[in-house]
Amino acid sequence: DHAELTSTVDLFAHAILLTDPNAMGYVNLKDFDKNPAYAKLLDKYVYELVLQLMRDDSKASDILKEQRRDLIETVLGQLDGMILGTLKSDEQGDLALHEQGNGQATKVQNLSMGMKSLLLLRTMLGKGILSEKDVLILDEPENHLHPEWQVFYARALMQIQKAYQLT
């Protein structure tokens, strides 16, 4: 029956594998999307995620409008409260964290793994990389996080799961 087949096919949109918070640091490699060596060196899923992180986010606000915006904005606000800064280009055009009260921006590749983990989640939400019914696969996400951040990260994941009906 076609109706049964369609409901089976619609179980999930796509799978995202988060194993390497360093994916945020690869965004600053200027030739990343043009150099085939990166595709060979990196895990396929990390490579594809970096390409998504590098894309123009002008459509992100439209994506957020379509989805459960209230829940996502709450999570984004909480992440921003933990990060205490803004992720934007520095003078060299590299993605950097401009922390409140710190006149010097920190390039993403120089941030702690814990901060990269939070920024990765924040950026994925802000760019609309996650969508309803995705499968999100995390490999020891608490590994690089301070105990307080582990609890925060787990709560954020639960809220994101509810908003997107993630598996």
Side-chain angles (χ1 to χ4, degrees), residues 85-98:
T86 306
L87 197 59
K88 59 185 178 182
S89 295
D90 63 7
E91 298 81 31
Q92 292 81 35
D94 289 333
L95 197 58
L97 181 63
H98 299 258

Side-chain angles (χ1 to χ4, degrees), residues 20-35:
D20 187 3
N22 275 322
M24 287 300 300
Y26 300 133
V27 171
N28 284 337
L29 298 172
K30 303 296 183 214
D31 64 340
F32 185 89
D33 56 341
K34 296 170 188 65
N35 188 337

Side-chain angles (χ1 to χ4, degrees), residues 23-69:
M24 287 300 300
Y26 300 133
V27 171
N28 284 337
L29 298 172
K30 303 296 183 214
D31 64 340
F32 185 89
D33 56 341
K34 296 170 188 65
N35 188 337
Y38 293 118
K40 291 177 184 175
L41 290 173
L42 294 174
D43 178 273
K44 168 187 162 182
Y45 300 102
V46 173
Y47 179 77
E48 289 174 2
L49 178 59
V50 174
L51 291 177
Q52 288 181 302
L53 293 169
M54 293 177 78
R55 78 168 192 233
D56 177 20
D57 63 352
S58 59
K59 295 180 184 175
S61 61
D62 295 337
I63 292 167
L64 285 175
K65 285 177 193 170
E66 294 171 15
Q67 296 167 347
R68 311 254 333 255
R69 187 180 184 107

